[in-house]
């Protein structure tokens, strides 16, 4: 079905009359115990153990050409089976949308750490030894640019990301209060627990890969395209994925390389990236430089909203960190301006990392809003409340559903915001300075075409099949809940099978659209099954109640397994329609944080944090809350510790391991409270849910730096707020 304009309300009726009551209910992830006990094999753990093993040789120059790879010498080393230097290896990591720039010159090096050859040997140790010792000659270019702010960097300004509305200069000049400030955020890495890995094998012309990927429907096409074969010759399996956060949206270098090597050797090949390779050769989040301009009149009403950015990527890449995504629709103000520049640099490819755009864009915007509130003498919550626009301030569209104001007011009440001293540096606990800060959250909501097959077996058990992935988000569990609710069966009668391109094509895990999109496909398939069951009972599906394996219609009750004579199968198919454009779809929220900053050492400890969100129907209260916990923890990392450091000489990533790239650990994270406000979004999709995952990170880090300002009077605009910036 196509989602066109507002959803037909007969859809609401089925779910709002829930007889099982499993949708929305806190339900533990079914894959959780399998993952933590090692029973869920990740890609790198599949296979027989007899595969040949590939290890990458990677460039040690920032820019130039590989003049020669001495394969003959490498082939003499113990156990070495092949050295693959195929040009297709050198593709930059794709972005999940097959928009990767084609490599013109196969020996071209564009960044330090780029894979240039794959050494394949009998064992990992042999492959690694040979990869470290293989003689490589380079012709290094002398014009590498590794710093986006280097004047020599070529700058692209994509047309679609520049905008002016009204006259921001005049509005700034005439403002009662204004902010014009520049913020910087560093390169970051998704640092998913499971490193990128592939096991590839060929059966004649058919390729099977087990790989750590998020978006199988795109990945299959990307891989077929890279190998020059038809997609129907490619099968990808990714039933269990240990986190992605965007880094597995597209193909990482192991996928194509393992497939090429397996073909060359006519033998299965395993390639598992090391942690350093994950950091250097998959995907980084771009560093950003952002200028935010805000102006209010003497009533505190915004009159100007400006957000300019310089981000970076490799030459030719189309992705650029869209930092102004939320700025466009969050607040009022009739004079608006955006400028967006992409500096072309010889650094690891930049791509999507959790909430690309908002995650770092809102660090700047929400930090600036806090500064404006302070200057204007308006409470930060009140400033936001009074600047919630009636309609989208740039295109006049209505919002699909938006409990933004409730998130702000209920969050403030729950957090005890009224106890905050607005004067910075006034609250002490021994040598600790205490501060409270807040920030808004917003993240666009997306529906993606998805299919799912639901088989109702004659014994009243169910199998759900789609090539959708579960990257730790809860897909297995949520899809079982939807099928269970719709067909009136307990969860232990429902098997969900994911992560196999032989199954119907799902949306993939990305952009926080997964649960809503594939969940809608499962919902639609189950609706078809309900009407088939009704036919069997000579009734109408509206008259049919399915609960605990029993079908009831009028006075007739029948065990579902007795009503069924054979398996029933239905495919659900959801496609975004005109509803995508008719209104503005987004999730909203508010973050509140209390920090303690040590007045002697400059160390910041987060003492408590609250996130209040509105994101349509919540499909599983536990997995949704966990997603927001993850986002808020990401926010703590962005605010306080996470920073990829590029060597100024060649752009290489200096801290390419989890010992030196500091993600928060348990001791860094206090009690995190998450509250979802009841909401249905009738425009979003048939199950009226919106994306949750990336909403939790958007704005989170700014609540912390705003709390640091309240604690210390120090306004940190250069993320992360490490100790040296607070002394
Ligand atoms: Mo997300 S960055 O779209 O996996």
């Amino acid at each position: 079905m196509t989602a066109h304009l507002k959803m037909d309300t007969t859809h609401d009726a089925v779910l709002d009359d829930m007889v099982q009551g499993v949708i929305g209910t806190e339900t533990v992830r079914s894959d959780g115990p399998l993952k933590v006990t090692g029973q869920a094999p990740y890609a790198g753990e599949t296979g027989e153990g007899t595969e040949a093993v590939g290890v990458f040789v990677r460039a040690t120059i920032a820019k130039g050409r590989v003049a020669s790879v001495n394969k003959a010498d490498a082939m003499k080393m113990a156990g070495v089976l092949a050295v693959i230097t195929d040009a297709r290896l050198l593709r930059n990591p794709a972005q999940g949308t097959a928009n990767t720039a084609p490599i013109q010159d196969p020996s071209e090096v564009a960044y330090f750490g780029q894979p240039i050859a794959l050494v394949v040997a009998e064992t990992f140790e042999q492959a690694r030894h040979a990869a470290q010792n293989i003689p490589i000659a380079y012709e290094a270019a002398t014009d590498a640019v590794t710093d986006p702010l280097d004047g020599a960097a070529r700058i692209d300004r994509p047309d679609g990301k520049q905008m002016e509305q009204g006259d921001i200069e005049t509005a700034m000049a005439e403002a009662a209060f204004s902010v014009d400030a520049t913020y910087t955020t560093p390169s970051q890495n998704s640092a998913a627990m499971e490193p990128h890995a592939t096991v590839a094998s060929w059966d004649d012309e058919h390729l099977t890969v087990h790989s750590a990927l998020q978006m199988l429907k795109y990945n299959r096409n990307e891989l077929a395209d890279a190998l020059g074969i038809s997609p129907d010759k490619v099968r990808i399996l990714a039933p269990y994925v240990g986190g992605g956060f965007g880094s597995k949206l597209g193909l990482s270098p192991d996928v194509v390389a393992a497939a090429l090597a397996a073909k060359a050797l006519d033998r299965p090949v395993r390639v598992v990236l090391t942690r350093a390779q994950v950091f250097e050769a998959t995907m980084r989040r771009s560093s950003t430089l952002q200028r935010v301009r805000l102006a209010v009149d003497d009533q505190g009403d915004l009159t100007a909203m400006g957000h300019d950015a310089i981000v970076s990527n490799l030459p030719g890449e189309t992705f650029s960190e869209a930092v102004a995504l939320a700025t466009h629709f969050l607040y009022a103000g009739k004079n608006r301006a955006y400028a967006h520049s992409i500096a072309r640099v010889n650094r690891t490819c930049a791509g999507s990392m959790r909430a690309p755009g908002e995650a770092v864009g809102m660090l700047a915007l929400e930090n600036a809003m806090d500064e404006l509130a302070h200057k204007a003498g308006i409470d930060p919550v009140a400033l936001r409340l009074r600047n919630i626009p009636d309609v989208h301030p740039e295109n006049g569209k209505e919002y699909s559903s938006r409990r933004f104001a409730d998130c702000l007011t209920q969050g403030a009440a729950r957090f005890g915001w009224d106890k905050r001293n607005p004067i910075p540096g006034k609250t002490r606990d021994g040598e600790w300075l205490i501060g409270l800060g807040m920030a808004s959250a917003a993240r666009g909501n997306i529906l993606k075409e998805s299919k799912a097959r639901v088989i109702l077996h004659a014994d009243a058990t169910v199998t759900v099949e789609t090539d959708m992935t579960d990257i730790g988000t809860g897909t297995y569990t949520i899809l079982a809940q939807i099928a269970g609710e719709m067909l009136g069966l307990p969860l232990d009668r429902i098997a969900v099978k994911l992560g196999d391109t032989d199954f119907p094509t799902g949306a993939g895990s990305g952009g926080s659209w997964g649960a809503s999109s594939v969940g809608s496909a499962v919902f639609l398939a189950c609706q078809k099954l309900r009407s088939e069951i009704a036919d069997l009972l000579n009734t109408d599906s509206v008259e049919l109640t399915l609960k605990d394996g029993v079908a009831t219609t009028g006075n007739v009750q029948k065990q579902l397994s007795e009503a069924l004579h054979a398996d029933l199968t239905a495919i659900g198919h959801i496609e975004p329609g005109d509803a995508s454009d008719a209104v503005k779809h987004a999730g909203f929220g508010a973050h509140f944080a209390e920090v303690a900053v040590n007045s002697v050492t400059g160390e910041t400890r987060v003492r408590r944090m609250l996130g209040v969100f509105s994101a349509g129907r919540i499909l599983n209260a536990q997995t949704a809350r966990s997603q927001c916990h993850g986002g808020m923890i990401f926010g703590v990392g962005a605010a306080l510790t996470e920073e990829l450091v590029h060597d100024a000489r060649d752009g290489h990533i200096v801290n390419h391991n989890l010992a030196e790239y500091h993600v928060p650990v348990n001791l860094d994270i206090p009690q995190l409270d998450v509250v979802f406000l009841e909401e249905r979004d009738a425009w979003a999709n048939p199950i009226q849910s919106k994306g949750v995952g990336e909403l939790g990170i958007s704005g989170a880090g700014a609540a912390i730096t705003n709390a640091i300002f309240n604690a210390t009077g120090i306004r940190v605009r250069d993320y992360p707020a490490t100790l040296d910036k607070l002394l």
Side-chain angles (χ1 to χ4, degrees), residues 214 244-247 249 352-356 443 471 509-512 694:
Q214 296 177 222
F245 313 114
S247 74
L249 286 172
S352 292
M353 175 173 149
R354 200 161 168 92
R443 166 81 182 159
I471 59 175
S509 299
S512 301
E694 292 166 319

Side-chain angles (χ1 to χ4, degrees), residues 19-143:
V19 289
Q20 296 286 111
V22 296
I23 290 186
T25 308
E26 305 235 352
T27 307
V28 176
R29 277 168 45 201
S30 56
D31 60 323
L34 300 176
K35 279 181 163 172
V36 298
T37 57
Q39 295 178 75
Y42 289 142
E45 300 169 319
T46 60
E48 306 293 319
T50 53
E51 296 77 13
V53 181
V55 170
F56 279 118
V57 180
R58 295 178 309 119
T60 54
I61 58 170
K63 185 180 179 189
R65 293 171 43 93
V66 177
S68 69
V69 176
N70 192 331
K71 291 191 192 186
D73 276 16
M75 291 300 290
K76 287 183 211 142
M77 296 182 210
V80 174
L81 301 167
V83 179
I84 310 287
T85 53
D86 194 294
R88 291 167 287 186
L89 260 183
L90 304 181
R91 289 166 62 98
N92 299 320
Q95 307 282 351
T97 50
N99 63 359
T100 297
I103 298 293
Q104 303 299 336
D105 176 351
S107 60
E108 180 191 328
V109 173
Y111 66 96
F112 189 109
Q114 176 182 317
I116 54 174
L118 184 79
V119 177
V120 190
E122 289 291 346
T123 69
F124 169 71
E125 288 77 9
Q126 290 168 335
R128 182 179 56 182
H129 176 77
Q132 283 169 350
N133 291 290
I134 186 170
I136 309 281
Y138 296 100
E139 289 162 17
T142 52
D143 60 345

Side-chain angles (χ1 to χ4, degrees), residues 391-544:
V391 293
H392 191 304
E394 292 166 13
N395 60 29
K397 287 180 185 172
E398 310 253 343
Y399 296 86
S400 63
S401 63
R402 182 180 51 156
R403 295 192 65 189
F404 182 28
D406 293 338
C407 291
L408 290 162
T409 52
Q410 293 191 28
R414 282 171 179 271
F415 200 69
W417 184 251
D418 58 343
K419 300 198 183 61
R420 171 180 179 265
N421 186 337
I423 304 167
K426 293 291 179 209
T427 311
R428 270 192 172 262
D429 176 2
E431 66 188 30
W432 296 90
L433 295 163
I434 310 301
L436 302 189
M438 60 78 55
S440 303
R443 166 81 182 159
N445 178 61
I446 302 163
L447 179 69
K448 284 275 185 188
E449 181 177 8
S450 293
K451 289 181 188 162
R453 180 188 298 127
V454 180
I455 307 159
L456 176 57
H457 301 286
D459 65 354
T461 60
V462 172
T463 305
V464 177
E465 294 173 340
T466 155
D467 79 350
M468 177 64 184
T469 48
D470 187 332
I471 59 175
T473 41
T475 317
Y476 279 107
T477 315
I478 290 164
L479 298 187
Q481 286 176 277
I482 293 170
E485 183 62 53
M486 293 296 290
L487 300 174
L489 292 168
L491 297 186
D492 63 8
R493 305 204 66 144
I494 297 162
V496 178
K497 296 186 178 171
L498 302 178
D500 181 343
T501 52
D502 279 357
F503 294 148
T505 306
S509 299
S512 301
W513 59 60
S516 294
S517 302
V518 183
S520 292
V522 170
F523 171 85
L524 294 172
C526 290
Q527 274 205 321
K528 290 186 193 170
L529 293 174
R530 287 175 66 95
S531 64
E532 289 190 42
I533 297 165
D535 286 348
L536 290 175
L537 298 172
N538 295 318
T539 184
D540 189 88
S541 59
V542 182
E543 304 297 324
L544 177 71

Side-chain angles (χ1 to χ4, degrees), residues 280-477:
E280 292 178 334
T282 62
M283 195 76 81
R284 70 186 168 94
R285 190 202 294 280
S286 172
S287 58
T288 71
L289 181 139
Q290 303 177 55
R291 178 192 186 194
V292 178
R293 284 176 288 174
L294 300 172
V296 285
D297 61 19
D298 55 9
Q299 300 299 303
D301 291 328
L302 279 163
T303 55
M305 173 73 57
H307 199 162
D308 302 343
I310 302 173
V311 302
S312 65
N313 209 342
L314 287 164
E317 289 289 328
T318 52
F319 176 88
S320 68
E321 186 80 28
V323 298
L325 275 178
T327 314
H328 284 291
F329 67 83
L330 193 51
Y331 301 121
K334 69 175 199 292
N335 303 289
R336 309 174 79 89
Y338 303 87
H340 187 87
S341 300
I342 311 168
R344 298 302 176 184
V345 293
N346 300 107
R347 282 184 177 183
T348 295
C349 191
S352 292
M353 175 173 149
R354 200 161 168 92
E358 293 95 333
V360 287
M362 291 188 77
L363 292 178
L365 174 66
E366 291 299 300
N367 193 324
M369 284 292 284
D370 196 70
E371 185 158 359
L372 180 67
H374 183 74
K375 276 191 171 179
I378 303 173
D379 179 83
V381 174
L383 176 68
R384 287 163 173 87
L385 282 171
R386 71 177 300 127
N387 284 291
I388 296 177
D390 294 333
V391 293
H392 191 304
E394 292 166 13
N395 60 29
K397 287 180 185 172
E398 310 253 343
Y399 296 86
S400 63
S401 63
R402 182 180 51 156
R403 295 192 65 189
F404 182 28
D406 293 338
C407 291
L408 290 162
T409 52
Q410 293 191 28
R414 282 171 179 271
F415 200 69
W417 184 251
D418 58 343
K419 300 198 183 61
R420 171 180 179 265
N421 186 337
I423 304 167
K426 293 291 179 209
T427 311
R428 270 192 172 262
D429 176 2
E431 66 188 30
W432 296 90
L433 295 163
I434 310 301
L436 302 189
M438 60 78 55
S440 303
R443 166 81 182 159
N445 178 61
I446 302 163
L447 179 69
K448 284 275 185 188
E449 181 177 8
S450 293
K451 289 181 188 162
R453 180 188 298 127
V454 180
I455 307 159
L456 176 57
H457 301 286
D459 65 354
T461 60
V462 172
T463 305
V464 177
E465 294 173 340
T466 155
D467 79 350
M468 177 64 184
T469 48
D470 187 332
I471 59 175
T473 41
T475 317
Y476 279 107
T477 315

